[in-house]
Amino acid sequence: MAVSVSDPDGLTGQLCNWAVRLQLSKVPNDVQHRAKLILLDGISCGLVGAHLQWSETAVKTVLELEPQGPCSVIGWDKSVGGSAATLLNSTLIQGFELDDWHPYAPLHSAALLIPALLSAIEQIKMVENRSISGESMLLAMIVGLEVGPRIGLGLGGGEMLSRGWHSGAVFGGPAVAIAVSKVLELSPRQMEWALGTACTQAGGLMSAQFGSMTKRMQHGFAARNGFVAAFLARGGYTGIEAVLEREYGGFLSTFNPTSEQKSASKNSLLENLGTVWEICNIQIKAYPLMGTLHAAVDCIRQLQDQHRMANITLENIKTIKIGMGEAPYKHGGWKVETDSLEPTGAQMSAAYAVAVQLIDGEVTTSSFVPEKLNRKVLHQLIGKIECTHHSEFDRSLKTRITIQLSDDQIMEASVESPRGVKPKLTDDEIMDKTITSLAGCIDEHRRQSIVDSVMSIEGSNDLDVLIAKLKESAGAIMK
Protein backbone atom coordinates (compact mmCIF):
# COMPACT_ATOMS: atom_id res chain seq x y z
CA MET A 1 0.00 0.00 0.00
CA ALA A 2 1.30 3.47 -0.95
CA VAL A 3 2.32 5.61 2.00
CA SER A 4 3.23 8.97 0.45
CA VAL A 5 0.69 11.46 -0.91
CA SER A 6 0.01 11.37 -4.64
CA ASP A 7 1.45 14.87 -5.23
CA PRO A 8 3.56 16.36 -2.42
CA ASP A 9 3.53 19.78 -4.11
CA GLY A 10 -0.25 19.98 -4.48
CA LEU A 11 -2.66 21.60 -2.04
CA THR A 12 -3.98 18.26 -0.81
CA GLY A 13 -0.53 16.73 -0.45
CA GLN A 14 0.94 19.68 1.43
CA LEU A 15 -2.03 19.85 3.80
CA CYS A 16 -1.95 16.12 4.56
CA ASN A 17 1.82 16.06 5.04
CA TRP A 18 1.60 18.97 7.47
CA ALA A 19 -1.17 17.28 9.45
CA VAL A 20 0.63 13.93 9.67
CA ARG A 21 3.94 15.47 10.73
CA LEU A 22 2.63 17.95 13.31
CA GLN A 23 3.67 17.23 16.89
CA LEU A 24 2.20 18.79 20.01
CA SER A 25 5.62 20.15 20.98
CA LYS A 26 5.46 22.35 17.85
CA VAL A 27 2.13 23.88 18.83
CA PRO A 28 2.41 27.09 20.92
CA ASN A 29 1.06 26.88 24.46
CA ASP A 30 -1.57 29.55 23.84
CA VAL A 31 -2.91 27.60 20.86
CA GLN A 32 -3.09 24.42 22.95
CA HIS A 33 -4.92 26.34 25.67
CA ARG A 34 -7.39 27.76 23.15
CA ALA A 35 -8.08 24.26 21.83
CA LYS A 36 -8.84 23.04 25.37
CA LEU A 37 -11.29 25.90 25.92
CA ILE A 38 -13.07 25.06 22.65
CA LEU A 39 -13.18 21.41 23.71
CA LEU A 40 -14.63 22.32 27.11
CA ASP A 41 -17.19 24.67 25.59
CA GLY A 42 -18.26 22.04 23.07
CA ILE A 43 -18.67 19.38 25.74
CA SER A 44 -20.77 21.80 27.82
CA CYS A 45 -22.96 22.54 24.80
CA GLY A 46 -23.46 18.81 24.24
CA LEU A 47 -24.69 18.30 27.80
CA VAL A 48 -26.95 21.35 27.53
CA GLY A 49 -28.37 20.05 24.26
CA ALA A 50 -28.76 16.42 25.31
CA HIS A 51 -32.41 16.54 26.38
CA LEU A 52 -33.91 19.34 24.36
CA GLN A 53 -37.12 18.21 22.68
CA TRP A 54 -35.60 18.03 19.20
CA SER A 55 -32.49 16.29 20.54
CA GLU A 56 -34.61 13.62 22.22
CA THR A 57 -36.46 13.07 18.95
CA ALA A 58 -33.14 12.53 17.16
CA VAL A 59 -31.66 10.22 19.79
CA LYS A 60 -34.76 8.06 20.22
CA THR A 61 -35.16 7.66 16.46
CA VAL A 62 -31.52 6.75 15.83
CA LEU A 63 -31.46 4.35 18.77
CA GLU A 64 -34.41 2.54 17.19
CA LEU A 65 -32.52 2.27 13.90
CA GLU A 66 -29.05 1.41 15.15
CA PRO A 67 -27.84 -1.52 17.28
CA GLN A 68 -25.90 -1.03 20.48
CA GLY A 69 -22.20 -0.38 20.06
CA PRO A 70 -19.10 0.85 21.86
CA CYS A 71 -19.55 4.61 21.49
CA SER A 72 -21.24 6.83 24.07
CA VAL A 73 -24.11 9.24 23.52
CA ILE A 74 -23.49 12.37 25.59
CA GLY A 75 -25.86 12.71 28.53
CA TRP A 76 -27.90 9.59 27.75
CA ASP A 77 -26.10 6.64 29.38
CA LYS A 78 -26.48 4.86 26.02
CA SER A 79 -23.98 3.45 23.52
CA VAL A 80 -24.25 2.86 19.77
CA GLY A 81 -21.94 2.37 16.81
CA GLY A 82 -19.36 5.00 15.95
CA SER A 83 -21.10 6.64 13.00
CA ALA A 84 -24.42 6.90 14.86
CA ALA A 85 -22.75 8.28 18.01
CA THR A 86 -20.89 10.84 15.92
CA LEU A 87 -24.11 11.99 14.26
CA LEU A 88 -26.01 12.24 17.54
CA ASN A 89 -23.31 13.90 19.63
CA SER A 90 -22.80 16.54 16.97
CA THR A 91 -26.54 17.15 16.93
CA LEU A 92 -26.50 17.61 20.71
CA ILE A 93 -23.55 20.05 20.64
CA GLN A 94 -25.33 22.07 17.93
CA GLY A 95 -28.60 21.64 19.80
CA PHE A 96 -28.98 25.15 21.20
CA GLU A 97 -26.76 27.41 19.08
CA LEU A 98 -24.39 27.95 22.00
CA ASP A 99 -21.32 26.38 20.42
CA ASP A 100 -18.25 28.02 18.87
CA TRP A 101 -18.11 29.68 15.47
CA HIS A 102 -15.53 31.13 13.08
CA PRO A 103 -16.58 34.62 11.91
CA TYR A 104 -14.83 34.52 8.52
CA ALA A 105 -15.12 30.82 7.62
CA PRO A 106 -18.42 29.98 9.30
CA LEU A 107 -18.45 26.54 10.91
CA HIS A 108 -18.98 25.02 14.35
CA SER A 109 -15.74 23.17 14.99
CA ALA A 110 -16.52 21.48 18.30
CA ALA A 111 -19.72 19.98 16.89
CA LEU A 112 -17.67 18.48 14.08
CA LEU A 113 -14.53 17.28 15.84
CA ILE A 114 -15.43 16.22 19.38
CA PRO A 115 -18.05 13.62 18.38
CA ALA A 116 -15.90 12.01 15.69
CA LEU A 117 -12.74 11.89 17.80
CA LEU A 118 -14.51 10.46 20.85
CA SER A 119 -16.16 7.80 18.66
CA ALA A 120 -12.81 6.90 17.11
CA ILE A 121 -11.21 6.58 20.54
CA GLU A 122 -13.99 4.35 21.89
CA GLN A 123 -14.04 2.26 18.70
CA ILE A 124 -10.31 1.57 18.94
CA LYS A 125 -10.65 0.76 22.63
CA MET A 126 -13.24 -1.93 21.90
CA VAL A 127 -11.76 -3.43 18.73
CA GLU A 128 -8.07 -3.35 19.64
CA ASN A 129 -8.19 -3.04 23.44
CA ARG A 130 -5.89 -0.05 23.03
CA SER A 131 -6.18 3.36 24.67
CA ILE A 132 -5.56 6.60 22.83
CA SER A 133 -3.94 9.24 25.01
CA GLY A 134 -5.22 12.68 25.85
CA GLU A 135 -2.21 14.14 24.09
CA SER A 136 -3.21 12.38 20.85
CA MET A 137 -6.79 13.60 21.24
CA LEU A 138 -5.67 17.19 21.80
CA LEU A 139 -3.27 17.12 18.85
CA ALA A 140 -5.92 15.70 16.51
CA MET A 141 -8.37 18.32 17.76
CA ILE A 142 -5.84 21.07 16.99
CA VAL A 143 -5.28 19.71 13.48
CA GLY A 144 -9.01 19.72 12.79
CA LEU A 145 -9.51 23.16 14.32
CA GLU A 146 -6.81 24.53 12.04
CA VAL A 147 -7.75 22.75 8.82
CA GLY A 148 -11.51 23.42 8.90
CA PRO A 149 -11.38 27.23 8.74
CA ARG A 150 -8.52 27.18 6.21
CA ILE A 151 -10.54 25.04 3.80
CA GLY A 152 -13.52 27.30 4.47
CA LEU A 153 -11.53 30.41 3.64
CA GLY A 154 -10.42 28.68 0.45
CA LEU A 155 -14.09 28.41 -0.48
CA GLY A 156 -14.73 32.10 0.12
CA GLY A 157 -15.73 31.93 3.80
CA GLY A 158 -19.02 33.72 4.44
CA GLU A 159 -19.77 33.84 0.71
CA MET A 160 -20.83 30.20 1.05
CA LEU A 161 -23.63 31.36 3.35
CA SER A 162 -24.61 34.11 0.93
CA ARG A 163 -25.02 31.49 -1.80
CA GLY A 164 -27.31 29.42 0.43
CA TRP A 165 -24.91 26.68 1.54
CA HIS A 166 -24.72 25.66 5.18
CA SER A 167 -21.03 26.40 5.09
CA GLY A 168 -19.82 24.33 8.04
CA ALA A 169 -21.69 21.30 6.78
CA VAL A 170 -19.85 21.69 3.46
CA PHE A 171 -16.26 22.09 4.63
CA GLY A 172 -16.58 20.52 8.08
CA GLY A 173 -16.46 16.92 6.85
CA PRO A 174 -12.98 17.26 5.32
CA ALA A 175 -11.67 18.71 8.60
CA VAL A 176 -13.11 15.75 10.50
CA ALA A 177 -11.56 13.28 8.06
CA ILE A 178 -8.11 14.78 8.62
CA ALA A 179 -8.53 14.98 12.42
CA VAL A 180 -9.72 11.37 12.76
CA SER A 181 -6.95 10.23 10.40
CA LYS A 182 -4.52 11.99 12.73
CA VAL A 183 -5.80 10.30 15.87
CA LEU A 184 -5.73 6.92 14.06
CA GLU A 185 -2.14 7.61 12.97
CA LEU A 186 -2.87 7.01 9.29
CA SER A 187 -0.22 7.49 6.62
CA PRO A 188 -0.26 10.62 4.42
CA ARG A 189 -1.78 8.64 1.52
CA GLN A 190 -4.51 7.21 3.74
CA MET A 191 -5.27 10.69 5.04
CA GLU A 192 -5.49 11.88 1.43
CA TRP A 193 -8.00 9.10 0.69
CA ALA A 194 -10.05 10.02 3.76
CA LEU A 195 -10.08 13.66 2.72
CA GLY A 196 -11.23 12.73 -0.78
CA THR A 197 -14.04 10.52 0.50
CA ALA A 198 -15.24 13.21 2.91
CA CYS A 199 -15.14 15.92 0.25
CA THR A 200 -17.33 13.97 -2.17
CA GLN A 201 -20.09 13.78 0.48
CA ALA A 202 -20.14 17.52 1.25
CA GLY A 203 -23.43 19.39 1.31
CA GLY A 204 -25.97 21.22 3.41
CA LEU A 205 -28.65 23.81 2.60
CA MET A 206 -29.07 26.90 4.74
CA SER A 207 -32.83 26.87 4.26
CA ALA A 208 -32.71 24.38 7.12
CA GLN A 209 -32.59 27.40 9.43
CA PHE A 210 -36.23 28.35 8.95
CA GLY A 211 -37.56 26.26 11.79
CA SER A 212 -36.50 22.70 10.89
CA MET A 213 -34.84 20.36 13.35
CA THR A 214 -32.46 19.40 10.53
CA LYS A 215 -30.41 22.57 11.12
CA ARG A 216 -29.20 21.03 14.38
CA MET A 217 -28.06 17.84 12.60
CA GLN A 218 -26.31 19.11 9.48
CA HIS A 219 -22.88 19.40 11.11
CA GLY A 220 -23.55 15.88 12.36
CA PHE A 221 -23.92 14.63 8.80
CA ALA A 222 -20.53 16.16 8.00
CA ALA A 223 -18.93 14.76 11.18
CA ARG A 224 -20.29 11.28 10.47
CA ASN A 225 -19.06 11.44 6.87
CA GLY A 226 -15.56 12.43 7.96
CA PHE A 227 -15.49 9.71 10.63
CA VAL A 228 -16.53 7.00 8.16
CA ALA A 229 -14.12 8.32 5.52
CA ALA A 230 -11.15 7.98 7.89
CA PHE A 231 -12.05 4.43 8.90
CA LEU A 232 -12.57 3.46 5.25
CA ALA A 233 -9.11 4.79 4.42
CA ARG A 234 -7.69 2.91 7.41
CA GLY A 235 -9.10 -0.27 5.92
CA GLY A 236 -7.52 0.42 2.54
CA TYR A 237 -10.55 1.85 0.76
CA THR A 238 -9.22 4.51 -1.60
CA GLY A 239 -10.68 7.99 -1.99
CA ILE A 240 -10.29 10.83 -4.47
CA GLU A 241 -6.65 11.92 -4.62
CA ALA A 242 -5.62 15.57 -5.00
CA VAL A 243 -9.28 16.34 -4.29
CA LEU A 244 -8.81 19.96 -3.26
CA GLU A 245 -7.05 21.18 -6.40
CA ARG A 246 -8.52 19.12 -9.24
CA GLU A 247 -9.88 21.38 -11.97
CA TYR A 248 -12.76 19.11 -12.92
CA GLY A 249 -14.83 17.82 -10.05
CA GLY A 250 -12.37 18.99 -7.40
CA PHE A 251 -13.58 20.35 -4.09
CA LEU A 252 -12.48 23.95 -4.54
CA SER A 253 -13.33 24.23 -8.24
CA THR A 254 -16.82 22.80 -7.72
CA PHE A 255 -17.88 24.74 -4.64
CA ASN A 256 -15.88 27.87 -5.42
CA PRO A 257 -16.06 28.33 -9.17
CA THR A 258 -14.99 31.95 -9.81
CA SER A 259 -11.48 32.69 -11.02
CA GLU A 260 -10.90 35.32 -8.34
CA GLN A 261 -11.80 32.88 -5.61
CA LYS A 262 -9.69 30.12 -7.16
CA SER A 263 -6.59 32.30 -7.07
CA ALA A 264 -7.14 33.02 -3.37
CA SER A 265 -7.65 29.38 -2.41
CA LYS A 266 -4.02 28.31 -2.16
CA ASN A 267 -3.08 31.27 0.02
CA SER A 268 -6.05 30.67 2.32
CA LEU A 269 -5.18 27.02 2.74
CA LEU A 270 -1.43 27.05 3.13
CA GLU A 271 -0.21 30.56 3.92
CA ASN A 272 1.65 30.60 7.26
CA LEU A 273 0.38 27.10 8.04
CA GLY A 274 1.78 26.11 11.42
CA THR A 275 2.95 29.63 12.28
CA VAL A 276 -0.24 31.73 12.16
CA TRP A 277 -3.09 29.78 13.76
CA GLU A 278 -6.71 30.03 12.59
CA ILE A 279 -7.69 28.32 15.85
CA CYS A 280 -7.26 31.70 17.49
CA ASN A 281 -10.07 33.06 15.28
CA ILE A 282 -12.52 30.41 16.46
CA GLN A 283 -14.79 32.24 18.86
CA ILE A 284 -16.72 31.06 21.89
CA LYS A 285 -20.21 32.51 21.94
CA ALA A 286 -21.61 34.96 24.44
CA TYR A 287 -25.22 34.41 23.33
CA PRO A 288 -27.25 31.38 22.15
CA LEU A 289 -27.70 32.88 18.69
CA MET A 290 -26.27 32.51 15.22
CA GLY A 291 -22.86 34.19 15.50
CA THR A 292 -23.36 37.01 13.00
CA LEU A 293 -26.33 38.31 15.04
CA HIS A 294 -24.26 38.99 18.14
CA ALA A 295 -23.23 42.46 16.97
CA ALA A 296 -26.90 43.48 16.71
CA VAL A 297 -27.46 42.46 20.33
CA ASP A 298 -24.36 44.42 21.33
CA CYS A 299 -25.71 47.54 19.59
CA ILE A 300 -28.83 47.42 21.76
CA ARG A 301 -26.74 46.68 24.86
CA GLN A 302 -24.64 49.74 24.02
CA LEU A 303 -27.75 51.93 23.97
CA GLN A 304 -29.05 50.36 27.17
CA ASP A 305 -25.70 50.78 28.94
CA GLN A 306 -25.75 54.45 28.03
CA HIS A 307 -29.22 54.68 29.60
CA ARG A 308 -30.56 56.02 26.34
CA MET A 309 -33.35 53.42 26.39
CA ALA A 310 -34.36 53.98 30.01
CA ASN A 311 -37.68 55.73 29.36
CA ILE A 312 -38.46 54.17 25.98
CA THR A 313 -41.59 52.03 25.70
CA LEU A 314 -42.77 49.85 22.84
CA GLU A 315 -45.29 52.54 21.91
CA ASN A 316 -42.49 55.13 21.64
CA ILE A 317 -40.66 53.11 18.98
CA LYS A 318 -41.64 53.88 15.40
CA THR A 319 -39.07 51.83 13.47
CA ILE A 320 -35.84 49.92 14.02
CA LYS A 321 -33.41 49.37 11.17
CA ILE A 322 -30.59 46.84 11.39
CA GLY A 323 -27.80 47.45 8.87
CA MET A 324 -25.74 44.32 8.10
CA GLY A 325 -23.23 42.87 5.67
CA GLU A 326 -24.32 40.43 2.98
CA ALA A 327 -23.77 37.12 4.80
CA PRO A 328 -25.44 38.20 8.08
CA TYR A 329 -28.27 39.83 6.12
CA LYS A 330 -29.04 36.77 3.99
CA HIS A 331 -28.54 34.42 6.94
CA GLY A 332 -30.33 36.38 9.66
CA GLY A 333 -32.02 39.40 8.10
CA TRP A 334 -35.07 37.56 6.79
CA LYS A 335 -38.51 38.95 7.56
CA VAL A 336 -40.38 37.16 10.32
CA GLU A 337 -43.85 36.49 8.91
CA THR A 338 -45.25 34.24 11.60
CA ASP A 339 -46.26 34.67 15.23
CA SER A 340 -45.33 31.06 16.03
CA LEU A 341 -41.56 30.90 15.65
CA GLU A 342 -39.69 27.71 16.49
CA PRO A 343 -36.47 28.05 18.55
CA THR A 344 -34.28 27.32 15.51
CA GLY A 345 -35.81 30.13 13.48
CA ALA A 346 -35.72 32.52 16.43
CA GLN A 347 -32.00 31.87 16.97
CA MET A 348 -31.38 32.69 13.31
CA SER A 349 -33.40 35.93 13.30
CA ALA A 350 -31.84 39.35 13.80
CA ALA A 351 -35.27 40.84 14.46
CA TYR A 352 -36.00 38.33 17.22
CA ALA A 353 -32.58 38.82 18.83
CA VAL A 354 -32.96 42.60 18.92
CA ALA A 355 -36.53 42.44 20.21
CA VAL A 356 -35.58 40.08 23.05
CA GLN A 357 -32.64 42.25 24.11
CA LEU A 358 -34.81 45.36 24.08
CA ILE A 359 -37.65 43.82 26.08
CA ASP A 360 -35.79 41.50 28.48
CA GLY A 361 -32.41 43.23 28.68
CA GLU A 362 -30.64 39.94 27.89
CA VAL A 363 -30.50 37.04 25.48
CA THR A 364 -30.02 33.71 27.27
CA THR A 365 -31.12 30.11 26.89
CA SER A 366 -34.33 31.01 28.74
CA SER A 367 -35.21 33.45 25.94
CA PHE A 368 -36.24 30.46 23.82
CA VAL A 369 -38.40 28.47 26.22
CA PRO A 370 -41.98 28.00 24.92
CA GLU A 371 -43.60 30.44 27.32
CA LYS A 372 -41.27 33.26 26.22
CA LEU A 373 -40.73 32.45 22.57
CA ASN A 374 -43.89 33.89 21.01
CA ARG A 375 -45.01 36.58 23.41
CA LYS A 376 -47.35 39.13 21.83
CA VAL A 377 -45.13 42.02 22.86
CA LEU A 378 -42.17 40.44 21.06
CA HIS A 379 -44.02 40.07 17.79
CA GLN A 380 -45.40 43.58 18.03
CA LEU A 381 -41.85 44.88 18.26
CA ILE A 382 -40.57 42.50 15.55
CA GLY A 383 -43.17 44.05 13.22
CA LYS A 384 -41.37 47.38 13.55
CA ILE A 385 -37.93 45.98 12.68
CA GLU A 386 -36.41 46.01 9.21
CA CYS A 387 -33.05 44.53 8.25
CA THR A 388 -31.09 46.16 5.44
CA HIS A 389 -27.99 45.16 3.50
CA HIS A 390 -25.04 47.56 3.66
CA SER A 391 -22.47 46.54 1.07
CA GLU A 392 -19.74 48.52 2.87
CA PHE A 393 -20.09 46.04 5.77
CA ASP A 394 -19.68 42.95 3.56
CA ARG A 395 -16.11 42.12 4.52
CA SER A 396 -16.55 42.84 8.21
CA LEU A 397 -18.82 41.99 11.12
CA LYS A 398 -20.00 45.59 11.48
CA THR A 399 -23.64 46.15 12.36
CA ARG A 400 -25.52 49.41 12.79
CA ILE A 401 -28.90 49.86 14.47
CA THR A 402 -31.01 52.97 13.97
CA ILE A 403 -34.09 53.47 16.14
CA GLN A 404 -36.64 56.11 15.17
CA LEU A 405 -39.01 57.16 17.95
CA SER A 406 -42.58 58.38 17.56
CA ASP A 407 -41.40 61.99 18.01
CA ASP A 408 -38.88 61.35 15.17
CA GLN A 409 -35.91 61.39 17.55
CA ILE A 410 -33.13 59.12 16.23
CA MET A 411 -30.92 56.84 18.32
CA GLU A 412 -28.08 54.97 16.67
CA ALA A 413 -25.36 52.54 17.68
CA SER A 414 -22.68 50.71 15.71
CA VAL A 415 -20.49 47.73 16.60
CA GLU A 416 -17.44 46.79 14.53
CA SER A 417 -17.05 43.31 16.05
CA PRO A 418 -19.27 41.63 18.63
CA ARG A 419 -18.39 40.63 22.14
CA GLY A 420 -16.72 37.25 21.90
CA VAL A 421 -14.75 38.30 18.79
CA LYS A 422 -13.24 41.65 19.79
CA PRO A 423 -12.86 41.39 22.65
CA LYS A 424 -12.77 37.61 22.99
CA LEU A 425 -14.40 36.13 26.04
CA THR A 426 -11.83 35.84 28.80
CA ASP A 427 -10.97 32.51 30.42
CA ASP A 428 -13.04 33.54 33.43
CA GLU A 429 -16.02 34.41 31.22
CA ILE A 430 -15.76 31.05 29.46
CA MET A 431 -15.68 29.24 32.80
CA ASP A 432 -18.67 31.30 33.97
CA LYS A 433 -20.52 30.30 30.80
CA THR A 434 -19.70 26.65 31.53
CA ILE A 435 -20.94 26.88 35.12
CA THR A 436 -24.11 28.76 34.18
CA SER A 437 -24.93 26.54 31.20
CA LEU A 438 -24.48 23.29 33.10
CA ALA A 439 -26.27 24.35 36.27
CA GLY A 440 -29.51 22.60 35.34
CA CYS A 441 -27.86 19.61 33.64
CA ILE A 442 -25.28 18.04 35.94
CA ASP A 443 -24.06 18.42 39.52
CA GLU A 444 -21.10 20.51 40.57
CA HIS A 445 -18.82 17.53 41.27
CA ARG A 446 -19.35 16.06 37.81
CA ARG A 447 -18.87 19.44 36.18
CA GLN A 448 -15.58 20.02 37.98
CA SER A 449 -14.37 16.53 37.04
CA ILE A 450 -15.03 17.34 33.37
CA VAL A 451 -13.28 20.72 33.61
CA ASP A 452 -10.23 19.16 35.30
CA SER A 453 -10.05 16.34 32.73
CA VAL A 454 -10.23 18.71 29.77
CA MET A 455 -7.83 21.34 31.05
CA SER A 456 -5.16 18.71 31.81
CA ILE A 457 -6.00 16.41 28.91
CA GLU A 458 -2.48 16.23 27.49
CA GLY A 459 -1.31 14.40 30.64
CA SER A 460 -3.89 11.59 30.45
CA ASN A 461 -2.92 8.12 29.28
CA ASP A 462 -6.54 7.50 28.28
CA LEU A 463 -9.87 9.32 28.22
CA ASP A 464 -11.89 6.76 30.18
CA VAL A 465 -12.77 9.10 33.07
CA LEU A 466 -13.82 11.97 30.81
CA ILE A 467 -15.90 9.75 28.54
CA ALA A 468 -17.62 8.13 31.52
CA LYS A 469 -18.61 11.57 32.88
CA LEU A 470 -19.94 12.60 29.47
CA LYS A 471 -21.97 9.43 29.04
CA GLU A 472 -23.86 9.68 32.36
CA SER A 473 -27.44 10.96 32.06
CA ALA A 474 -27.90 14.72 32.05
CA GLY A 475 -30.86 16.83 33.10
CA ALA A 476 -33.08 18.82 30.75
CA ILE A 477 -32.74 22.62 30.69
CA MET A 478 -36.08 23.07 28.92
CA LYS A 479 -39.24 21.10 29.70
Side-chain angles (χ1 to χ4, degrees):
M1 183 187 296
V3 174
S4 301
V5 294
S6 60
D7 178 6
D9 296 322
L11 286 177
T12 304
Q14 290 185 66
L15 196 63
C16 289
N17 279 334
W18 173 81
V20 168
R21 293 167 183 166
L22 184 67
Q23 299 175 345
L24 195 62
S25 61
K26 301 298 183 183
V27 180
N29 289 336
D30 62 321
V31 174
Q32 294 185 40
H33 183 69
R34 187 68 181 172
K36 292 181 200 176
L37 292 175
I38 295 167
L39 174 59
L40 178 63
D41 185 66
I43 284 170
S44 299
C45 291
L47 289 163
V48 168
H51 289 280
L52 298 167
Q53 178 249 321
W54 45 92
S55 298
E56 292 195 337
T57 299
V59 173
K60 290 174 183 177
T61 302
V62 172
L63 289 179
E64 289 175 0
L65 290 171
E66 298 286 342
Q68 288 188 355
C71 301
S72 304
V73 180
I74 293 173
W76 275 79
D77 196 24
K78 301 283 187 183
S79 296
V80 289
S83 59
T86 299
L87 175 67
L88 289 176
N89 287 332
S90 176
T91 303
L92 304 186
I93 292 172
Q94 259 273 276
F96 213 57
E97 208 60 37
L98 267 170
D99 53 323
D100 65 87
W101 67 299
H102 191 293
Y104 311 109
L107 83 170
H108 303 287
S109 296
L112 293 159
L113 298 167
I114 295 171
L117 290 171
L118 290 179
S119 289
I121 288 166
E122 290 195 277
Q123 182 75 22
I124 293 299
K125 182 90 171 183
M126 184 200 72
V127 173
E128 299 181 7
N129 195 27
R130 175 171 66 89
S131 295
I132 291 176
S133 70
E135 179 177 336
S136 295
M137 165 76 178
L138 179 60
L139 182 57
M141 182 89 178
I142 288 168
V143 166
L145 291 171
E146 188 64 20
V147 166
R150 284 179 174 271
I151 295 176
L153 291 169
L155 292 177
E159 293 172 15
M160 292 289 289
L161 284 175
S162 299
R163 297 201 297 270
W165 290 107
H166 192 172
S167 51
V170 172
F171 51 80
V176 172
I178 288 180
V180 175
S181 296
K182 180 67 173 178
V183 87
L184 295 177
E185 300 180 344
L186 300 192
S187 71
R189 180 64 70 90
Q190 289 172 309
M191 184 179 284
E192 182 177 13
W193 292 340
L195 178 60
T197 300
C199 284
T200 199
Q201 300 176 82
L205 300 175
M206 206 57 253
S207 55
Q209 74 177 35
F210 299 114
S212 76
M213 294 181 185
T214 303
K215 160 55 173 82
R216 315 289 189 183
M217 191 175 277
Q218 288 190 160
H219 276 66
F221 297 144
R224 178 194 60 189
N225 293 345
F227 171 84
V228 172
F231 273 89
L232 284 170
R234 185 173 187 259
Y237 198 86
T238 64
I240 301 169
E241 295 178 351
V243 67
L244 295 177
E245 65 266 33
R246 284 189 183 271
E247 283 297 318
Y248 176 72
F251 192 65
L252 297 178
S253 63
T254 300
F255 281 104
N256 194 7
T258 71
S259 57
E260 179 185 352
Q261 290 167 340
K262 282 181 185 177
S263 65
S265 294
K266 184 171 183 178
N267 284 342
S268 300
L269 278 163
L270 299 178
E271 188 173 26
N272 298 317
L273 182 62
T275 56
V276 176
W277 295 86
E278 277 302 322
I279 296 171
C280 298
N281 289 323
I282 295 173
Q283 310 301 339
I284 292 174
K285 286 184 178 178
Y287 314 114
L289 294 165
M290 182 249 291
T292 52
L293 303 184
H294 290 208
V297 173
D298 288 340
C299 285
I300 299 300
R301 287 185 58 176
Q302 187 182 111
L303 293 173
Q304 291 169 326
D305 289 346
Q306 295 167 354
H307 305 292
R308 295 172 64 187
M309 303 295 297
N311 299 312
I312 305 301
T313 65
L314 174 63
E315 292 72 24
N316 294 142
I317 295 174
K318 188 174 182 180
T319 62
I320 300 173
K321 291 190 176 180
I322 308 173
M324 317 165 81
E326 183 181 30
Y329 173 71
K330 287 189 173 180
H331 196 6
W334 48 282
K335 186 173 178 59
V336 177
E337 295 178 330
T338 176
D339 59 0
S340 57
L341 274 170
E342 296 291 333
T344 303
Q347 290 173 314
M348 303 289 138
S349 167
Y352 185 89
V354 164
V356 167
Q357 181 62 40
L358 273 167
I359 291 169
D360 296 340
E362 62 179 4
V363 182
T364 68
T365 54
S366 66
S367 304
F368 303 93
V369 298
E371 58 268 28
K372 286 190 175 182
L373 189 60
N374 287 297
R375 287 169 286 168
K376 184 177 179 180
V377 66
L378 269 178
H379 284 280
Q380 287 175 335
L381 185 53
I382 286 170
K384 300 182 180 188
I385 297 174
E386 178 188 1
C387 296
T388 58
H389 173 215
H390 289 230
S391 58
E392 66 271 26
F393 299 170
D394 282 355
R395 297 192 178 277
S396 72
L397 298 172
K398 186 173 181 178
T399 299
R400 178 185 299 136
I401 287 186
T402 305
I403 300 176
Q404 183 178 11
L405 302 181
S406 53
D407 62 0
D408 290 331
Q409 178 187 347
I410 299 293
M411 294 189 297
E412 190 169 274
S414 296
V415 168
E416 295 289 337
S417 289
R419 176 173 168 250
V421 178
K422 289 183 181 178
K424 286 182 170 67
L425 297 188
T426 65
D427 286 11
D428 286 344
E429 287 174 321
I430 293 167
M431 288 299 173
D432 286 346
K433 176 187 174 182
T434 301
I435 292 168
T436 303
S437 299
L438 293 179
C441 301
I442 62 175
D443 62 49
E444 183 179 351
H445 176 76
R446 181 176 168 194
R447 184 196 73 227
Q448 192 58 50
S449 176
I450 290 170
V451 170
D452 292 343
S453 294
V454 170
M455 299 312 292
S456 61
I457 191 170
E458 72 277 21
S460 300
N461 293 324
D462 59 53
L463 295 171
D464 293 355
V465 171
L466 176 60
I467 290 171
K469 293 297 181 184
L470 298 184
K471 182 179 180 179
E472 291 175 24
S473 293
I477 65 163
M478 187 185 298
K479 305 296 183 185

